[in-house]
């Protein structure tokens, strides 16, 4: 069972989670480029990180009726994640009693998906 599912089971079946907001992360802070590198290592193939230009992404989201303020917030947050990973939490461990799994372990579990999917 994945970390998200394990926390969900506990949140739905144990006392003390009503109204709680659990921010879940893995055990390490990785940039998006580092995540892509790890996926490439796991599948033993070169994987390239290609950024969509900000204005292209903005126009695509606006075309899907996203509110402009939301689009701008998402783009700001995504731009920061390119070079600066988000903060880590210990929520998975404190809720489930087991440490969060590494990104590499997650990538190994999903290796088949990476090998069978192609560019959109």
């Amino acid at each position: 069972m994945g970390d998200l599912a394990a926390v969900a089971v506990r949140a739905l079946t144990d006392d003390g989670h009503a109204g709680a907001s659990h921010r879940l992360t893995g055990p390490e802070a990785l940039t998006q480029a580092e995540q892509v590198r790890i996926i490439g290592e796991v599948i033993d193939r070169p994987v390239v990180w290609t950024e969509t230009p900000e204005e292209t992404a903005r126009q695509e989201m606006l075309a899907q009726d996203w509110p402009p303020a939301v689009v701008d917030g998402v783009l700001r947050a995504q731009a920061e994640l390119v070079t600066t990973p988000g903060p880590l939490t210990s929520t998975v461990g404190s809720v489930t009693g087991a440490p969060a799994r590494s990104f590499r372990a997650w990538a190994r579990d999903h290796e088949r998906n990476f090998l069978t999917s192609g560019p959109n």
Side-chain angles (χ1 to χ4, degrees):
M1 177 182 324
D3 292 339
L4 179 61
V7 170
V9 166
R10 292 293 182 105
L12 293 169
T13 60
D14 292 353
D15 291 333
H17 297 280
S21 176
H22 296 305
R23 182 179 172 107
L24 307 179
T25 70
E28 68 252 321
L30 300 170
T31 65
Q32 291 174 331
E34 290 168 327
Q35 292 172 17
V36 169
R37 178 187 51 76
I38 290 169
I39 291 168
E41 290 171 2
V42 165
I43 65 172
D44 197 30
R45 292 187 183 174
V47 178
V48 179
W49 170 260
T50 304
E51 287 187 55
T52 300
E54 183 176 341
E55 190 54 34
T56 300
R58 186 173 203 286
Q59 292 307 318
E60 288 174 359
M61 286 188 267
L62 291 172
Q64 295 175 22
D65 295 324
W66 288 41
V70 172
V71 169
D72 292 340
V74 167
L75 290 175
R76 259 192 315 277
Q78 290 295 315
E80 290 173 11
L81 290 175
V82 171
T83 57
T84 306
L88 295 178
T89 69
S90 59
T91 308
V92 171
S94 65
V95 172
T96 68
R101 294 171 54 239
S102 70
F103 184 82
R104 184 175 298 278
W106 175 86
R108 281 189 192 117
D109 288 348
H110 293 85
E111 179 178 359
R112 185 173 187 181
N113 299 93
F114 295 118
L115 293 171
T116 59
S117 64
N120 296 347

